[in-house]
Each structure stands twice: as C-alpha cells, then as structure tokens.
Amino acid sequence: MSDRDSRHKASMQKLKTRVDEKVASATEQRGLLLINTGNGKGKTTAAWGTVTRALGYDYKVGVVQFIKGLWECGERNRLEDDANLQVAIMATGFTWDTQNREEDTRACQEVWQEAARMLSDPNVYLVVLDEITYMLKFGYLDIETVKQALENRPHEQTVIITGRNAHRDLVAMADTVTEMQEVRHAFNNGIQARRGIDY
Amino acid sequence: MSDRDSRHKASMQKLKTRVDEKVASATEQRGLLLINTGNGKGKTTAAWGTVTRALGYDYKVGVVQFIKGLWECGERNRLEDDANLQVAIMATGFTWDTQNREEDTRACQEVWQEAARMLSDPNVYLVVLDEITYMLKFGYLDIETVKQALENRPHEQTVIITGRNAHRDLVAMADTVTEMQEVRHAFNNGIQARRGIDY
C-alpha cells in the first residue's frame, strides 16, 4: 500500500470511530422540528425534497403553502397524484402583489385552520409550514397560536418551517436549524428564474 | 383603512417596485450551475427537491450519487419509476467505512463516466452531482476533468453540485452558491436520524 493510501486508511479509521460514537449516543426517537431559514436559495426546495423522501416510505405528508400558492410549482405537479400527500394553499400571491393586509390576514387564518388540523393528526408523519415566517412577521398569524399547535402535536410528527427571519421563539424550540446563506445568486446577475429549477 | 393597513400597503408598493425592477433586469436565459455547500442539513435534500420540481414539468433528469449509494433513500424510492429520471450510484458506502483509497478511486472513476455522459447529453435538463466535492477533496477525481465537462455541457443544462468544502474553482464558476449552515442539529443532541426525514 502506498504512503498516501495508508494515510488515507488511518484517517478514515479515526473518522469512523468518531462517527460510530456519535451514532451510538443518538438514542432518542421522536418527531423533529426543523427550520430552514436564511436569505439563500433552498429553504422550500429542501422541504419538498423531504416531502418526496417521506412519501418514498409511504408516510402521510401535509404541506401548507403560505404566500406562494399562485405560482406554478413543479414539485406539487409531480407529487399531487400521491394519495398520501395533502396540500393546502393560501393562494393569495405575494404580499407585495396583494398589498392588502386585511384580506391577506383573512386568507392566512383560513389556511391556518388546515395547518392546525394536520398538526393534530397523528397519522400525518410530516407537516411542512412553507413560508409561515412571513405570516408571523406581518402579524397575520399569532406566534402563541403556532407555538401551542407545535407543542401539542403528535410525538412522532415532524414539522418543517421555512422562510427568512424565523421567529426567535420558533428557533428556540427547534431541533434542527439550518441557515441557507446566499453566497451568490444567478438572479442578481441578470439571469432569469428558470422553469423546473427555480419554480 | 387603519394606520397599520396603510403603512403595510405603502411598504408593499415600495417592495413591489423593487421586485419588478429586478425581474425586468433578469433577461439572460440558460442552464445554471448551482452549488449547495456548507456544514448544515439540506444540501442533498434541496437537490432532490429540484429533481422533483424538474420532473414535474417532464424534463429529463440525471442524478449521480457519489458516496451515499448504499443507504436507503426515500426520494429515490419515490421517484425511481419515473421514466425521465436516471440515477447512477457509486454504491461503495462512506469513505470511513470502506477505508480504501484505491478501490474508492476506481468506483468513483466508473460512476464519473455516467456523469460525463449525462453532462454531454442535451436532452438532460438537470444533472445532480451529489457529494462530488468529497471525490475532489480525496483526489478520487481530477478537478480539471470536472471543470471541462461542466464548461462544455449543453447551454440549457442545469447542474447542481452538493457537498461540503466545494472546490474554489467550482465556486468561482457557479451562478448560484448557497451555504447551508448548521445553526443546530438534532443528531448532536442525541436524537436518532429519522426514516423519511433524514434519509
């Protein structure tokens, strides 16, 4: 074995010990609260990736789309025939298009009822609250209501929250928080949003 | 209209102007090079989300899984019956399990042939090179080979590269780079990786 190969083997053996220790110490089993936040691309996309993953094991999944419901959505197209997937859509369009706080609040409260139902259903393995952070930021939805629904949800249910500027109380509650940071974005360099890639 | 409602309307009008300007100035149309990097959760997951999205518009998609191929993969389960999806898998398992540089290199080179084929096929709209960054880091694959294949790929083809520590030449070439940063991870607090959520 060459020197380089031996060094590689030794370093991988060390790494394996560390990995095994970590795996052994992770013993708790329950549903998780995940937050995908930050100003970068991938928050909603990663949530849909997880939806696809969970559906791959025949788990029941609920997705609540706050804000973006009017847009075409390739993931929804691809998966909507799946009997295990339910999607609730606010469908008002972006807040900068509606420009109407009162109506947006009403639409948000309505779709929240769907979310609340999913969050109390032990048959739903994964619930995605897509872009709910903006609902809290604009005051369309009360943080205490959301916290309570999350706290009281079934033990095995995982929830993914997406959106920029996640409320600090949600971050404090979460098991896993990922900050998607924009290092560079094509859109800012004059490249159009792309069908099948960006939406 | 209440004061709060009027302020909301004014601020949304301002935001709309900014958004519209940005949309108008994005005129270039072509395939993108996206990189999902960083130490946080969501790099591969977001790539699979984009795969689902692209399949939702009936685009052809190629996924090359370096490293992780031995694991169960809910997304692959859910989508593998899709005639528009082709998946190539290195299937050696983690480098810390194989601990064999020579064999890993051979397996990597073999699956790279599949990647190169996809990267030269104009019918493939999206190619995912999942965890390829580690192949470059360990020297299983040559950076110049990868750069050349990316540069010569079809004009409309989008490529997503995932993995930590993306090579600086790839970062320099990329249109969009997102750094998924771990703020907190359940696994580090003793919670087991979860079927349908983490894998």
Side-chain angles (χ1 to χ4, degrees):
Chain A
M1 197 182 279
S2 77
D3 268 14
R4 186 167 183 192
D5 287 353
S6 322
R7 278 199 310 274
H8 177 86
K9 191 174 164 73
S11 117
M12 288 302 123
Q13 280 172 334
K14 228 192 231 167
L15 181 55
K16 179 158 175 57
T17 309
R18 280 210 305 277
V19 170
D20 286 350
E21 279 169 8
K22 256 177 110 174
V23 171
S25 72
T27 52
E28 197 182 342
Q29 293 196 46
R30 59 170 171 80
L32 304 168
L33 177 59
L34 311 171
I35 299 184
N36 296 343
T37 191
N39 66 346
K41 187 174 167 54
K43 300 182 286 292
T44 295
T45 322
W48 276 106
T50 314
V51 168
T52 309
R53 184 173 290 166
L55 291 173
Y57 295 105
D58 295 323
Y59 290 121
K60 286 195 192 308
V61 178
V63 176
V64 186
Q65 291 187 300
F66 294 92
I67 298 189
K68 260 189 203 154
L70 280 185
W71 273 45
E72 240 193 312
C73 176
E75 306 92 300
R76 217 170 52 214
N77 296 351
R78 179 59 184 77
L79 301 171
E80 70 187 350
D81 61 339
D82 196 310
N84 282 325
L85 175 67
Q86 36 184 326
V87 182
I89 306 174
M90 187 164 145
T92 46
F94 291 112
T95 50
W96 56 83
D97 284 323
T98 58
Q99 304 178 3
N100 188 323
R101 208 180 157 272
E102 229 177 317
E103 270 185 32
D104 282 358
T105 305
R106 205 176 306 128
C108 171
Q109 293 286 341
E110 220 174 278
V111 81
W112 169 254
Q113 297 310 315
E114 291 292 302
R117 193 184 46 71
M118 294 172 186
L119 291 168
S120 62
D121 183 350
N123 293 317
V124 180
Y125 187 75
L126 169 66
V127 177
V128 176
L129 303 175
D130 188 34
E131 320 241 32
I132 196 175
T133 60
Y134 307 103
M135 302 299 102
L136 296 164
K137 188 171 174 254
F138 289 133
Y140 298 172
L141 200 60
D142 177 47
I143 179 69
E144 291 306 322
T145 309
V146 175
K147 279 168 65 178
Q148 214 165 49
L150 289 172
E151 274 159 13
N152 296 330
R153 77 185 194 279
H155 184 259
E156 298 298 319
Q157 187 180 78
T158 289
V159 175
I160 305 179
I161 285 175
T162 81
R164 298 184 184 203
N165 303 111
H167 194 289
R168 64 179 179 280
D169 288 6
L170 295 181
V171 172
M173 285 174 76
D175 299 294
T176 297
V177 180
T178 308
E179 174 122 1
M180 274 78 170
Q181 292 203 325
E182 178 178 308
V183 179
R184 192 181 311 142
H185 200 303
F187 186 56
N188 295 327
N189 290 313
I191 303 174
Q192 280 190 9
R194 205 160 168 76
R195 191 167 181 255
I197 305 297
D198 290 302
Y199 60 91
Chain B
M1 201 182 275
S2 77
D3 268 15
R4 186 168 182 190
D5 288 352
S6 322
R7 278 199 310 273
H8 177 85
K9 191 176 166 70
S11 116
M12 287 303 122
Q13 280 171 337
K14 230 192 229 165
L15 182 56
K16 180 162 176 54
T17 309
R18 281 209 306 277
V19 170
D20 286 350
E21 278 169 10
K22 257 178 111 172
V23 170
S25 72
T27 53
E28 197 181 342
Q29 295 196 46
R30 59 172 173 77
L32 304 168
L33 177 59
L34 311 171
I35 299 184
N36 297 344
T37 190
N39 67 347
K41 186 175 167 56
K43 299 182 287 291
T44 295
T45 321
W48 276 107
T50 313
V51 168
T52 309
R53 185 173 289 168
L55 291 173
Y57 297 105
D58 294 323
Y59 290 120
K60 286 196 192 307
V61 178
V63 176
V64 186
Q65 290 188 301
F66 296 91
I67 299 190
K68 260 189 202 155
L70 280 185
W71 272 45
E72 238 194 312
C73 176
E75 306 90 301
R76 218 171 51 215
N77 296 351
R78 180 56 185 79
L79 300 171
E80 71 187 347
D81 61 339
D82 196 309
N84 283 324
L85 176 67
Q86 33 183 329
V87 182
I89 305 174
M90 186 166 146
T92 47
F94 292 111
T95 50
W96 56 84
D97 285 323
T98 59
Q99 304 178 2
N100 189 324
R101 205 180 158 272
E102 228 177 316
E103 269 185 34
D104 282 357
T105 305
R106 202 177 307 129
C108 172
Q109 293 285 343
E110 220 175 276
V111 80
W112 169 254
Q113 297 310 315
E114 292 292 303
R117 193 183 46 71
M118 293 172 188
L119 291 168
S120 63
D121 182 349
N123 293 317
V124 180
Y125 187 76
L126 170 65
V127 177
V128 175
L129 304 174
D130 189 35
E131 320 240 33
I132 195 174
T133 60
Y134 307 103
M135 304 298 102
L136 296 164
K137 187 170 175 256
F138 290 133
Y140 299 171
L141 200 59
D142 177 46
I143 178 70
E144 291 306 323
T145 309
V146 176
K147 277 168 67 178
Q148 213 165 50
L150 289 173
E151 274 160 12
N152 297 330
R153 78 185 194 278
H155 183 259
E156 299 297 320
Q157 189 180 76
T158 290
V159 175
I160 305 178
I161 285 176
T162 79
R164 299 185 184 202
N165 304 110
H167 193 289
R168 63 177 179 282
D169 288 6
L170 295 181
V171 172
M173 288 175 72
D175 299 295
T176 298
V177 180
T178 308
E179 173 123 2
M180 272 77 169
Q181 293 204 322
E182 178 177 308
V183 179
R184 191 182 311 144
H185 200 304
F187 186 57
N188 295 328
N189 289 314
I191 303 174
Q192 278 191 11
R194 204 160 169 76
R195 191 166 181 255
I197 305 296
D198 291 302
Y199 60 93

